[in-house]
């Protein structure tokens, strides 16, 4: 679907608060703009973002047309155990893109 | 001296006095010095800089075969991290086949047409910007070092003439803002020195990556002047002058600007 950039620390100590950064390419067309032909440009946005940590949801966001293109979402979570963080972006048409990152917790 | 001649010569004298000199070399500052700390932080963090998405696309294109020769950029130039290091800091540069300078976008297209036998990519297309961003990324931190030899000098001088020429309904020159009044405010925002060491840029206002030519056309519209077309020799001369003016500053491509 789109190009995404994810930053998750490769290793962390148990109990550490870790910062996670995600960036995905998307036009986030609001639906409120008028194109060169005078017709409205149809809305086209990502409207849902979820992060799960070994299957458990740790962050969830709803996105609306006011979010700028190429949404950059950053948040914190607590490093509890080694495993996988999965990130999923869903657009208004229901198409989902999933990307994962591994973390080792000592 | 007649009264009329006196008035005219006074006006000429006033015009000459009003025009400040070039910014002294040691007072030049990258435009990133004039943006907010937040925007600068986005630029300097590869996981936050949205232009890095274009850089990644550019890396894919670099390795994608194209044209009748079915060759990729990498087939001839190899690893861009080595072969393209410092290249963007030297553009615009003289292209012997055209007898005049070209900017990096135009050089990419020259190579696509001549070497890959592929079609030129349109100006401001996602693909051309991605390739340019990827190549320019390899020069980050290196000093701007365009050639200013005898062959280049007339084009740099032509660019300077445009920079210093009053134009548009507002009757402004680039120099009046960026040489004479940098650091002051325009509509609440600091006027930068217009150093071209970060292109292509991700401009927050555009919500996408754009070229120096797009930025220059923007400024011309702002002055209510007729912008030159993409690829116009005047724009390339102006780009050349701006890069020469930014000589020695560290490349920041792809930069983030408000």
């Amino acid at each position: 679907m789109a190009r995404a950039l994810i930053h998750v620390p490769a290793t962390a100590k148990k109990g550490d608060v870790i910062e996670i950064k995600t960036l995905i390419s998307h036009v986030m067309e609001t639906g409120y703009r008028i194109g060169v032909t005078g017709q409205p440009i149809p809305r086209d946005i990502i409207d849902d973002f979820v992060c799960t940590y070994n299957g458990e949801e740790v962050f969830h966001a709803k996105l609306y047309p006011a979010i700028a293109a190429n949404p950059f979402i950053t948040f914190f979570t607590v490093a509890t155990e080694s495993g996988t963080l999965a990130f999923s972006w869903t657009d208004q048409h229901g198409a989902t893109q999933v990307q994962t990152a591994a973390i080792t917790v000592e | 001296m007649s009264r009329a001649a006196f008035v005219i010569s006074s006006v000429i004298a006033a015009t000459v006095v009003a025009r400040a000199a070039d910014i002294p070399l040691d007072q030049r500052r990258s435009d990133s010095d004039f943006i907010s700390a937040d925007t600068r932080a986005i630029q300097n963090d590869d996981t936050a800089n949205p232009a890095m998405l274009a850089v990644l696309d550019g890396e894919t294109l670099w390795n994608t075969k194209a044209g009748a020769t079915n060759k990729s950029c990498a087939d001839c130039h190899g690893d861009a991290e080595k072969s393209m290091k410092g290249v963007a800091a030297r553009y615009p540069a003289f292209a012997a086949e055209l007898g005049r300078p070209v900017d990096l976008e135009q050089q990419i297209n020259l190579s696509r047409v001549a070497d890959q036998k592929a079609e030129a990519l349109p100006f401001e297309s996602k693909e051309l910007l991605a390739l340019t961003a990827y190549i320019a990324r390899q020069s980050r931190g290196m000093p701007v070092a365009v050639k200013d030899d005898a062959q280049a000098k007339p084009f740099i001088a032509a660019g300077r003439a445009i920079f210093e020429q009053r134009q548009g309904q507002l009757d402004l020159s680039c120099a009046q803002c960026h040489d004479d009044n940098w650091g002051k405010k325009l509509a609440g925002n600091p006027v930068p020195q217009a150093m071209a060491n970060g292109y292509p840029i991700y401009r927050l206002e555009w919500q996408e990556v754009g070229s120096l030519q797009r930025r220059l056309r923007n400024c011309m519209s702002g002055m209510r002047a007729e912008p030159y077309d993409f690829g116009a020799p005047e724009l390339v001369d102006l780009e050349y002058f701006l890069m020469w003016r930014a000589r020695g500053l560290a490349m920041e491509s792809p930069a983030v600007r408000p």
Side-chain angles (χ1 to χ4, degrees):
Chain A
M1 174 173 145
R3 181 80 68 175
L5 266 171
I6 295 166
H7 176 75
V8 173
T11 59
K13 287 205 177 67
K14 195 174 171 69
D16 271 2
V17 174
I18 52 169
E19 186 177 19
I20 292 163
K21 295 188 248 184
T22 70
L23 180 64
I24 188 164
S25 70
H26 198 281
V27 291
M28 294 299 281
E29 189 58 58
T30 63
Y32 299 123
R33 296 198 307 158
I34 305 295
V36 285
T37 59
Q39 295 295 309
I41 304 170
R43 196 178 98 154
D44 179 13
I45 64 168
I46 290 173
D47 58 10
D48 197 81
F49 171 78
V50 184
C51 171
T52 58
Y53 188 171
N54 283 345
E56 187 191 347
E57 185 175 302
V58 291
F59 186 86
H60 196 157
K62 293 274 178 200
L63 282 68
Y64 292 91
I67 304 292
N70 308 317
F72 175 56
I73 300 174
T74 173
F75 53 95
F76 296 88
T77 190
V78 177
T80 51
E81 55 188 9
S82 296
T84 307
L85 286 140
F87 305 89
S88 83
W89 295 262
T90 306
D91 71 14
Q92 63 182 54
H93 309 294
T96 297
Q97 174 166 341
V98 180
Q99 233 160 293
T100 58
I103 183 168
T104 306
V105 176
E106 292 148 353
Chain B
M1 187 188 292
S2 76
R3 188 181 164 82
F6 176 74
V7 169
I8 289 168
S9 60
S10 304
V11 167
I12 291 168
T15 310
V16 171
V17 170
R19 172 72 195 102
D22 287 359
I23 303 169
L25 284 182
D26 60 348
Q27 284 178 35
R28 292 171 313 143
R29 289 156 56 189
S30 167
D31 290 6
S32 60
D33 256 27
F34 297 85
I35 64 179
S36 73
D38 285 342
T39 309
R40 201 159 44 239
I42 294 174
Q43 169 181 305
N44 294 332
D45 178 353
D46 277 354
T47 55
N49 184 337
M52 290 307 292
L53 297 165
V55 169
L56 291 175
D57 286 343
E59 185 178 13
T60 305
L61 286 168
W62 179 264
N63 294 298
T64 304
K65 295 184 188 303
T69 58
N70 200 31
K71 275 187 180 170
S72 70
C73 309
D75 285 338
C76 290
H77 295 287
D79 181 0
E81 284 185 23
K82 294 193 188 94
S83 65
M84 292 295 122
K85 196 173 164 62
V87 169
R90 299 195 292 268
Y91 272 81
F94 197 83
E97 60 268 53
L98 299 183
R100 56 161 293 109
V102 292
D103 64 15
L104 188 54
E105 283 89 346
Q106 291 173 316
Q107 180 60 59
I108 290 168
N109 270 334
L110 282 179
S111 188
R112 274 183 69 83
V113 172
D115 305 325
Q116 290 179 300
K117 310 279 182 231
E119 277 186 32
L121 297 165
F123 284 107
E124 296 312 290
S125 62
K126 221 174 157 208
E127 292 81 6
L128 185 55
L129 287 168
L131 269 172
T132 311
Y134 177 59
I135 292 168
R137 174 71 181 81
Q138 315 308 331
S139 299
R140 200 186 265 182
M142 299 182 67
V144 173
V146 290
K147 269 195 181 164
D148 59 354
D149 54 12
Q151 203 172 37
K153 276 201 163 69
F155 299 99
I156 296 176
R160 175 192 283 276
I162 296 170
F163 189 80
E164 295 177 350
Q165 170 69 49
R166 281 169 177 261
Q167 49 186 311
Q169 290 178 325
L170 297 187
D171 198 25
L172 273 172
S173 73
C174 314
Q176 283 177 296
C177 281
H178 298 294
D179 271 355
D180 301 352
N181 288 294
W182 60 267
K184 295 179 191 166
K185 300 266 175 133
L186 178 67
N189 299 312
V191 177
Q193 293 181 346
M195 294 297 167
N197 54 322
Y199 285 86
I201 59 168
Y202 189 94
R203 196 172 184 214
L204 301 179
E205 184 188 312
W206 295 337
Q207 301 198 21
E208 60 187 359
V209 176
S211 69
L212 177 53
Q213 292 204 0
R214 178 175 178 186
R215 187 68 193 83
L216 294 174
R217 283 166 48 88
N218 249 204
C219 241
M220 287 169 187
S221 304
M223 299 192 294
R224 299 181 202 166
E226 176 92 24
Y228 298 103
D229 287 336
F230 280 109
E234 291 89 346
L235 276 184
V236 180
D237 292 347
L238 189 49
E239 288 182 276
Y240 207 149
F241 170 67
L242 290 175
M243 281 296 269
W244 173 80
R245 190 169 161 271
R247 62 197 179 281
L249 294 185
M251 290 287 288
E252 295 174 8
S253 307
V256 178
R257 297 287 181 260

